[in-house]
Amino acid sequence: MAGTLLAVWEAARERTTSRLSGAQLRAVMVVEQYDGINLRRLATLTDMLLSSASRLCDRLVAAGMLDREPGRYDRREISLHLTPAATRLLAELRADRRRRLERILTGMSVEGRAALLHGMREFDEVARRGEAAATEGWPVLQSAGERIDHPPVEPGEPPYLVPPGEPPVARTA
């Protein structure tokens, strides 16, 4: 089951971000979540050596995915920001993943979607508690709904909503 979900997730990444490695994509996602992050914090959040994170950022700058600028308070410190190209790339990736997941979810029964939603909510809750206790935070655990301001599903609603003019999209709390 988890293997199938990962295969769907990875297929979208391969199609959309073929020019970025997994480590580069993760770094871009961390910079998206923490705009203006410095290199040391990026290295910490991606579990890399500072020198490795620096080389990775050099490649992302050369690829047009990141911009570096001097820090506001300390000119020796460098702030990292996404370029418009990186923002478009992440939007394409998320749209592709949504389309792929939507095709699967619409083939499931209402009961199956409700059970999946219940299980995923419980999984998320337990994982967040465990990660919060073990580390100072893990950006991957931030759901897309929190980043892009999707409303949570209310109790008793179906596991996905259909906003006017949009195809069904799985929603999470």
Side-chain angles (χ1 to χ4, degrees), residues 4-5 7-8 21-22 56 73 79 100 112-113 115 133 138 143-144 149 152 154:
T4 303
L5 177 59
V8 170
S21 70
L56 182 113
Y73 305 109
S79 296
R100 290 168 186 270
R113 288 190 306 264
W138 190 23
S143 72
D149 199 32
E154 296 298 324

Side-chain angles (χ1 to χ4, degrees), residues 28-102:
V28 166
M29 290 178 146
V30 170
V31 172
E32 177 192 39
Q33 189 170 359
Y34 300 101
D35 184 53
I37 190 172
N38 67 27
L39 192 56
R40 185 173 308 281
R41 180 91 170 121
L42 177 65
T44 299
L45 289 173
T46 55
D47 198 27
M48 296 178 134
L49 296 172
L50 186 57
S51 59
S52 297
S54 180
R55 287 190 301 276
L56 182 113
C57 285
D58 289 342
R59 290 189 298 275
L60 287 169
V61 167
M65 297 288 123
L66 287 184
D67 282 329
R68 289 181 167 149
E69 64 181 45
R72 293 181 186 164
Y73 305 109
D74 182 351
R75 302 301 251 177
R76 295 171 293 173
E77 188 172 272
I78 300 297
S79 296
L80 301 169
H81 305 277
L82 294 186
T83 63
T87 302
R88 281 191 304 276
L89 183 87
L90 291 175
E92 289 171 19
L93 172 65
R94 289 186 177 113
D96 192 19
R97 285 178 172 169
R98 275 190 207 104
R99 280 190 299 274
R100 290 168 186 270
L101 291 173
E102 176 190 336

Side-chain angles (χ1 to χ4, degrees), residues 2-28:
T4 303
L5 177 59
L6 290 174
V8 170
W9 207 251
E10 187 61 18
R13 187 195 75 77
E14 286 176 7
R15 185 184 138 323
T16 310
T17 63
S18 58
R19 59 186 188 165
L20 295 182
S21 70
Q24 289 171 327
L25 178 61
R26 179 155 160 74
V28 166

